[in-house]
Amino acid sequence: MILETLSVFPELFGPYMGASIMGRAQRSGVFSFEAHDLRDWTHDRHRTVDDAPFGGGQGMLMKPEPIFEALDDLCSRPPARPHVVFFSPCGERFCQRTAERLSRHERLLFVCGRYEGTDERVYSLADDVLSIGDYVLTGGELAALVVMDSVVRLLPGALGDEMSAVDESFSAAGLLEYAQYTRPASYRGMDVPEVLLSGDHARVDAWRRASAIERTARWRPDLIESADLTAEERARALELAERGEGD
Ligand code: ADE
């Protein structure tokens, strides 16, 4: 997969994209990454990318010309036209399903705005406009990093253990992930559930399923309705959610 960003702070991406799992995946050829500087598509001495809004108001907007020209240029480059993603708090809420959909593209280009907003006409260039949540960031770069991280870890070979992307929050049955523990078995008066020490895989699986349901009922009751549950599990989840309890 080819990942690219277009922003006025291209230097923000390197450290994160080159570290840990992202860095290893990049070095082993799972994906390539390039951060483009939007100012490379300006023509004035000051390399201007912003301007005041028509109609008045606070702050500056990203002007359309550098973004249009950058996308004309970048989209025509081989090997494939990129799927173009913009970021805005007004966009569609990003979720695991969208990460899975994006992970199937050969080339993704993330366009990150700054300032108080972007001239509306540039959104005509977007294949997706995404928000990473109901809060306002100073720019789209963090949103792009969030989306790229969640997409890369879905790519074959990105995680050492091929299974670990499957059996976790949101992927398995639409539930939050079950509680996990490592050594020591007893710490500061808190004991690891006995069943996890038992070596009985069937009991461990049943405990993990119940833990996932309880945590979802407690922390994300909104997920219960669409989760893949038996009638009995759903009734228990709804009862826990109503009581505001759970693990
Ligand atoms: N830009 C500013 N805030 C944002 C958000 N919440 N999601 C995506 N892009 C943004």
Side-chain angles (χ1 to χ4, degrees):
M1 161 167 292
I2 302 165
L3 298 177
E4 291 163 70
T5 53
L6 179 65
S7 89
V8 287
F9 291 110
E11 70 277 13
L12 288 179
F13 298 102
Y16 193 84
M17 298 302 283
S20 186
I21 289 174
M22 304 286 279
R24 191 188 61 195
Q26 204 179 151
R27 287 189 298 278
S28 64
V30 170
F31 75 98
S32 68
F33 175 69
E34 191 175 357
H36 303 284
D37 186 346
L38 181 63
R39 294 190 199 277
D40 290 348
W41 287 272
T42 57
H43 305 291
D44 64 310
R45 216 157 45 88
H46 300 291
R47 314 225 297 160
T48 308
V49 294
D50 60 340
D51 206 341
F54 278 123
Q58 285 280 301
M60 299 290 271
L61 300 179
M62 303 288 294
K63 58 203 261 90
E65 304 98 304
I67 297 177
F68 270 88
E69 289 186 33
L71 288 188
D72 281 348
D73 183 359
L74 295 172
C75 291
S76 66
R77 294 183 187 180
R81 187 196 174 279
H83 184 81
V84 178
V85 180
F86 280 66
F87 294 102
S88 165
C90 304
E92 175 191 324
R93 176 82 67 88
F94 181 64
C95 64
Q96 189 67 23
R97 195 157 32 85
T98 308
E100 283 158 13
R101 174 167 64 76
L102 293 178
S103 75
R104 292 192 280 272
H105 287 277
E106 180 180 351
R107 185 179 170 205
L108 296 173
L109 174 57
F110 298 103
V111 185
C112 308
R114 278 265 151 184
Y115 313 110
E116 310 305 313
T118 301
D119 185 286
E120 188 65 24
R121 290 167 289 192
V122 304
Y123 294 112
S124 66
L125 301 168
D127 295 311
D128 279 303
V129 182
L130 300 178
S131 164
I132 61 162
D134 291 342
Y135 42 81
V136 181
L137 302 167
T138 56
E141 290 84 355
L142 278 174
L145 283 168
V146 165
V147 171
M148 289 192 288
D149 185 292
S150 64
V151 167
V152 165
R153 60 186 299 291
L154 293 173
L155 300 176
L159 303 180
D161 172 3
E162 291 286 330
M163 279 308 290
S164 46
V166 177
D167 184 25
E168 62 194 20
S169 302
F170 304 115
S171 292
L175 295 168
L176 299 185
E177 196 173 30
Y178 48 79
Q180 301 191 88
Y181 300 87
T182 184
R183 273 183 284 268
S186 183
Y187 188 66
R188 298 199 179 200
M190 294 177 282
D191 295 339
V192 173
E194 177 280 322
V195 47
L196 299 179
L197 314 176
S198 71
D200 180 337
H201 295 299
R203 280 183 65 217
V204 168
D205 286 349
W207 184 88
R208 286 180 168 168
R209 176 92 183 161
S211 170
I213 292 168
E214 283 167 20
R215 283 150 66 99
T216 307
R218 167 131 190 199
W219 300 113
R220 293 295 305 278
D222 56 299
L223 296 177
I224 293 170
E225 193 180 315
S226 54
D228 187 7
L229 298 171
T230 66
E232 200 179 322
E233 286 171 336
R234 190 176 308 279
R236 163 122 179 97
L238 290 172
E239 183 194 313
L240 286 171
E242 208 143 282
R243 294 213 311 248
E245 284 175 23
D247 177 357

